[in-house]
Amino acid sequence: MSPPDVLTQQSRPPRLEHFPAAGYLGRALSLCCVFFIAACSGPVNSPYPASEGGKRGASSAYSAFGERPKHLDPARSYSENEYVFLGNIYEAPLQYHYLKRPYQLEPQTTTAMPTVRYLDAQGRGLPANVAAAKIAVSEYEIHIKPGIRYQPHPALARDAAGKQRYVPIKPEELERIARFEDFPEKGSRELTAADYVYQVRRLAHPRVQSPILGLMADAIVGLKDLARDLGKAAKNQPKDAYLDIAKFDFPGAYVVDRYTYRIRVKGKYPQFVYWLAMPFFAPVPEEAERFYRQPGMAERNFTLDWQPVGTGAYYLAENDPNRVMRLRKNPYYHDDFYPSEGDHGDREAGMLDDAGKRLPMVESVIYSLEKEDVPYWNKFLQGYYDASGVSSDSFDQAIRMNAKGEPDLTDDMRQRGILLSTAARPSLNYMGFNMLDPVVGGLSERARKLRQALSIAIDYDEFISIFLNGRGLPGQGPLPPGIFGYRDGLAGMNPVVYRADCGNPPFPKGGRGDLATSAEAQPSLKSPPAPLWKRGESVSPSPADCARFKRRPLDDAKKLLAEAGYPNGRDAATGQPLTLYFDTAASGPEAKSRMDWFRKQFAKLDIQLVIRASDYNRFQDKMSKGSEQIFEWGWNADYPDPENFLFLLYGPNKKVGGGGENAANYHNPEFDRLFERMKDMDNGPERQAVIDALVKLAREDAPWIYAFHPKSFGLRHGWVKNAKPNLMTHNLLKYRRIDPAARAAYQAKWNRPVLWPVPATLAVLVALIWPAVAGYRRRLKATAHA
């Protein structure tokens, strides 16, 4: 063997593998190239799978959910996070008009609004204008549209003989099905009147446990008896066995023909039509009950709570509550079109740009699991979610108050093209007085003026600013916005607490007339509303100068307090300081801040406020027994009718002794008389006049301090179209439209990778490694020359 050519071998330039640091540098360069290429191809921070990336848009909307919906059975669900899905999967007979306010019912699956006829105790027909006391039964007749079909579902699959394909299902076949999507066959059929009647029966099903059974059993003829009979029958069956509820006698709902059914309600109950817009009365096919009640189904989470079936615009295509819930357009969805009319200003706001277009306009809606607010907010800003609420953590970043004290977007949000929508919720938070209490209660002039004084002194305008970040509307009475009977602007002002802001209006001094409690101050049943500035011989300023109003000065409250017998916060008879008691179940740092604020408000009148905190059960016990004095309470609308709020002040509904929802135990015979008249009236001028009289009494008697109506703040990107807040309904997805090009452009702009650190890092690496490489090469050359 010849000797090696030492010179030749040693004089070759060293390869990278001979010097590890140089190899690392090469690999770093390669990774940077890969990163550069990826960055140029689109956003690298997308939270969605690569199969969806870049192609999201034309047909998809993106949102999130914070916790798994527990019930997706429409007869059982009564939770907001569940209605987000239910409202788009199921269809009740009626719905609320998407754009019109106050909220108005309209047909959804019906050909027209339900008709009603009245029957006496012998079943004989009565005229429409008959007195409510003579009505034994109200019979609602409902006609549904032909051709409406259910979403694809294995419960509706049929074999060649026309029988349910999977009823009964063989155990070995069920064993092979791990996920609901594994059912190879799905079917559909036409919606019929019998499906709606079946759903009314399901309210009484003992295994469904509907939360409205108690209420509906008192309203629907025979439902209580049906619940009793079904309960007895269920006891003789296995827990999850199918119970044929259709074979039991039930006169409360029945089929007239294939597309017509009737529901019988006790007495006169005009508010019942609002229930027909809720998922409780949405149809469920009997085949679904038979399908899900089979052995082995519940163990695999194959239930109506997990996989619903309805006729709505979307069906639940994927239910993985630990990751994603995906809705897809119902391929059998019936003819449905975007509304062609709305409220004043809707056309200018672009809400009627899609008038007459077929619904829905979005093919799929993807809800990703987000348990925390901050990640959701960040992804919204990145353009990966279409809309967002405004949490306390993100409020300052998103919202600022303008010069008028109104919420507005920050400059950052405007630069991003983000839009803000606000709407007062159909609900009311109030501070209540126990009308049975010897100090603050009763209808005496002394107690009434004390409550009026406190109504002025407790500045809920300030409360809204401090504790709600402006997300509230000061209450002017028992009715919230969006409800028939609510009056907006100056016409809806509570003159006991506020006065018109007309610059320097010539209000006369002194007397209760100055506090607008005279007959002229509020509309009565016999006369139209008088101008609020009309006092004696004063000259009225122009309405344009009186478009706003403001809280009455503290001096007005002090004057009322003195007239009530408590000058400077002391009992005029005894000289003792007035001490009042506030009962609450609230706890924690935030509650302490609120309680401290309340103490300061009472102290403005030199009244001492003692906070009596207790746990929730003890607090409820106090409310039931009437041992509280002052308390906080609230009410959310079940349906947008004034009866749903004014009944909270109806005497027979007192909490003490009756267990009703009248938590203040308010009882005014005149209010009760007017309420009984109003509740059965149709909406119109006559009913409005009665409501005005009721509101006037409720303001003057002041059993509540009408604190605020919570305000909903919603943000959305500019590519989301047709996003008018509608707080009474949940079938909103079908109205949405997405501009995919705008979304893609936003994502590209606001998700650009920060590239300058890459060359900077490379330069640092070269500066650190190059001296070692150069030194190594010098040693190799020196060795070669040696």
Side-chain angles (χ1 to χ4, degrees):
M1 180 180 294
S2 60
D5 186 347
V6 176
L7 180 61
T8 304
Q9 290 179 348
Q10 291 182 347
S11 63
R12 293 191 189 117
R15 294 176 298 191
L16 284 175
E17 60 265 27
H18 293 160
F19 189 64
Y24 299 152
L25 180 59
R27 285 192 288 272
L29 286 168
S30 300
L31 287 172
C32 289
C33 291
V34 171
F35 178 81
F36 241 82
I37 294 171
C40 293
S41 64
V44 296
N45 62 342
S46 173
Y48 302 109
S51 59
E52 295 182 10
K55 298 179 181 179
R56 301 180 313 279
S59 328
S60 298
Y62 289 83
S63 187
F65 65 100
E67 59 179 340
R68 178 183 76 84
K70 187 175 181 181
H71 299 298
L72 294 178
D73 181 340
R76 193 173 187 182
S77 172
Y78 209 0
S79 177
E80 184 73 20
N81 74 312
E82 296 163 354
Y83 271 31
V84 169
F85 299 96
L86 288 179
N88 297 287
I89 294 171
Y90 292 100
E91 289 185 299
L94 306 179
Q95 65 181 357
Y96 292 99
H97 194 284
Y98 180 52
L99 299 176
K100 292 182 179 180
R101 305 292 182 273
Y103 295 103
Q104 296 181 22
L105 286 174
E106 66 175 7
Q108 180 165 227
T109 61
T110 62
T111 58
M113 291 296 290
T115 58
V116 60
R117 69 178 187 129
Y118 303 123
L119 307 173
D120 63 16
Q122 287 72 43
R124 296 173 300 197
L126 296 170
N129 60 353
V130 68
K134 296 182 179 180
I135 299 173
V137 172
S138 299
E139 187 174 70
Y140 289 87
E141 184 168 283
I142 303 160
H143 300 270
I144 65 172
K145 302 171 185 175
I148 297 176
R149 298 186 65 82
Y150 282 102
Q151 302 144 0
H153 195 277
L156 301 177
R158 299 280 175 176
D159 59 20
K163 297 180 179 180
Q164 280 186 265
R165 164 67 177 82
Y166 296 109
V167 179
I169 188 171
K170 297 178 181 179
E172 57 271 19
E173 184 177 15
L174 184 59
E175 191 65 31
R176 295 193 297 267
I177 298 175
R179 302 181 310 151
F180 199 80
E181 294 80 4
D182 294 339
F183 283 99
E185 297 181 43
K186 296 179 176 64
S188 176
R189 70 162 172 82
E190 187 183 34
L191 172 70
T192 67
D195 297 326
Y196 280 105
V197 172
Y198 187 75
Q199 176 68 355
V200 177
R201 288 174 172 267
R202 290 188 73 245
L203 299 178
H205 199 305
R207 297 182 188 126
V208 170
Q209 297 180 336
S210 176
I212 67 165
L213 174 59
L215 179 63
M216 288 297 109
D218 290 334
I220 299 177
V221 174
L223 193 63
K224 185 178 292 186
D225 294 335
L226 178 63
R228 181 200 61 217
D229 295 342
L230 293 178
K232 292 179 180 178
K235 289 181 180 179
N236 299 322
Q237 289 186 326
K239 180 181 178 181
D240 294 323
Y242 171 73
L243 179 62
D244 188 359
I245 62 176
K247 71 179 183 180
F248 289 80
D249 182 55
F250 175 50
Y254 62 96
V255 173
V256 177
D257 58 41
R258 183 173 179 83
Y259 303 115
T260 308
Y261 69 104
R262 292 174 183 160
I263 300 178
R264 298 181 134 204
V265 178
K266 299 174 184 176
K268 186 174 184 180
Y269 186 18
Q271 290 77 27
F272 180 73
V273 292
Y274 292 107
W275 289 98
L276 297 178
M278 298 185 187
F280 296 112
F281 289 86
V284 168
E286 184 180 1
E287 296 95 324
E289 276 283 346
R290 292 183 181 274
F291 174 81
Y292 285 126
R293 295 294 177 184
Q294 297 181 92
M297 288 288 188
E299 288 77 6
R300 287 170 170 76
N301 276 332
F302 296 164
T303 67
L304 206 57
D305 277 332
W306 194 268
Q307 198 67 40
V309 52
T311 62
Y314 294 93
Y315 71 97
L316 187 57
E318 183 178 0
N319 187 0
D320 182 356
N322 294 318
R323 189 179 64 88
V324 66
M325 297 182 71
R326 191 184 308 266
L327 298 178
R328 286 199 182 124
K329 179 181 175 181
N330 176 7
Y332 305 115
Y333 190 58
H334 57 88
D335 286 349
D336 194 7
F337 302 96
Y338 193 89
S340 297
E341 57 182 359
D343 270 355
H344 175 73
D346 282 344
R347 189 172 299 279
E348 292 77 6
M351 290 297 170
L352 290 170
D353 290 352
D354 293 314
K357 290 185 179 179
R358 189 182 176 98
L359 303 175
M361 290 182 274
V362 172
E363 291 289 330
S364 64
V365 186
I366 294 91
Y367 293 88
S368 301
L369 178 64
E370 292 285 0
K371 294 185 177 181
E372 304 294 336
D373 289 337
V374 173
Y376 184 100
W377 174 249
N378 289 334
K379 291 173 186 176
F380 167 70
L381 293 181
Q382 292 165 344
Y384 296 122
Y385 290 134
D386 296 327
S388 172
V390 185
S391 68
S392 56
D393 292 329
S394 58
F395 189 88
D396 291 338
Q397 184 181 356
I399 305 295
R400 65 178 179 85
M401 294 297 168
N402 61 24
K404 296 180 180 179
E406 299 168 344
D408 201 355
L409 290 168
T410 60
D411 291 339
D412 180 33
M413 297 297 106
R414 291 183 178 279
Q415 290 173 7
R416 293 172 178 268
I418 290 172
L419 304 173
L420 170 67
S421 296
T422 66
R425 292 186 172 275
S427 59
L428 172 67
N429 287 58
Y430 63 87
M431 179 180 286
F433 299 99
N434 180 7
M435 297 296 282
L436 302 179
D437 184 81
V439 178
V440 300
L443 296 179
S444 68
E445 195 71 4
R446 175 185 174 98
R448 182 184 290 113
K449 288 187 175 183
L450 171 60
R451 295 191 298 269
Q452 289 178 349
L454 291 170
S455 298
I456 296 171
I458 301 175
D459 189 352
Y460 271 103
D461 301 76
E462 181 181 287
F463 182 96
I464 292 167
S465 177
I466 295 174
F467 296 102
L468 302 179
N469 283 325
R471 288 178 285 189
L473 185 69
Q476 302 298 321
L479 299 182
I483 305 293
F484 179 83
Y486 173 83
R487 289 188 180 273
D488 199 5
L490 203 62
M493 181 191 77
N494 180 0
V496 173
V497 180
Y498 292 86
R499 67 182 183 186
D501 185 6
C502 307
N504 293 304
F507 287 116
K509 297 179 180 180
R512 288 187 62 187
D514 188 38
L515 292 181
T517 54
S518 66
E520 273 191 326
Q522 283 291 310
S524 69
L525 292 178
K526 298 181 180 180
S527 60
L532 290 169
W533 52 78
K534 187 177 180 183
R535 303 289 188 270
E537 298 179 357
S538 300
V539 178
S540 303
S542 68
D545 296 330
C546 266
R548 302 176 64 185
F549 51 85
K550 60 184 179 182
R551 183 173 290 272
R552 288 185 173 276
L554 189 62
D555 286 344
D556 285 5
K558 290 181 176 180
K559 180 181 178 184
L560 283 168
L561 189 66
E563 292 175 358
Y566 302 101
N568 300 316
R570 290 182 175 271
D571 190 321
T574 65
Q576 295 297 314
L578 176 61
T579 301
L580 299 179
Y581 299 90
F582 186 92
D583 292 277
T584 180
S587 61
E590 184 178 348
K592 182 181 184 304
S593 298
R594 286 193 299 111
M595 296 306 114
D596 289 342
W597 183 86
F598 282 134
R599 287 192 186 96
K600 292 177 182 177
Q601 300 301 301
F602 280 74
K604 291 189 296 187
L605 297 178
D606 297 312
I607 297 174
Q608 299 178 20
L609 181 68
V610 176
I611 307 298
R612 298 191 297 200
S614 58
D615 61 49
Y616 183 74
N617 290 335
R618 173 63 181 149
F619 175 72
Q620 290 286 3
D621 186 58
K622 285 183 178 182
M623 296 296 294
S624 298
K625 294 178 179 177
S627 58
E628 84 288 355
Q629 189 177 67
I630 304 173
F631 60 94
E632 282 183 300
W633 213 255
W635 188 260
N636 296 316
D638 292 309
Y639 43 82
D641 189 85
E643 178 269 347
N644 195 227
F645 284 88
L646 295 174
F647 93 107
L648 300 171
L649 293 170
Y650 181 50
N653 286 339
K654 287 191 299 184
K655 186 170 286 291
V656 174
E661 296 295 343
N662 182 352
N665 303 299
Y666 174 64
H667 176 58
N668 182 325
E670 177 64 9
F671 186 96
D672 294 347
R673 183 187 67 80
L674 290 171
F675 176 81
E676 290 167 359
R677 180 182 171 193
M678 180 279 305
K679 70 183 180 67
D680 295 328
M681 297 174 71
D682 296 325
N683 289 344
E686 187 179 358
R687 194 184 198 208
Q688 180 69 63
V690 179
I691 292 170
D692 288 341
L694 284 162
V695 171
K696 179 177 182 293
L697 281 172
R699 287 169 173 170
E700 291 183 350
D701 286 346
W704 299 345
I705 297 176
Y706 307 99
F708 61 90
H709 309 292
K711 212 169 184 180
S712 172
F713 279 33
L715 301 175
R716 70 183 188 279
H717 286 288
W719 62 76
V720 181
K721 310 299 181 183
N722 306 329
K724 182 173 181 176
N726 187 317
L727 303 176
M728 283 306 302
T729 189
H730 295 86
N731 62 340
L732 304 177
L733 293 177
K734 65 181 182 180
Y735 301 105
R736 294 285 188 268
R737 178 167 57 84
I738 299 294
D739 182 346
R743 175 160 55 191
Y746 179 97
Q747 291 176 349
K749 177 180 179 180
W750 294 96
N751 294 282
R752 291 172 182 167
V754 181
L755 300 179
W756 66 263
V758 177
T761 302
L762 287 175
V764 171
L765 286 173
V766 170
L768 292 173
I769 295 174
W770 182 250
V773 174
Y776 180 67
R777 295 189 68 174
R778 283 196 298 270
R779 286 197 299 274
L780 289 178
K781 289 181 180 180
T783 303
H785 291 293

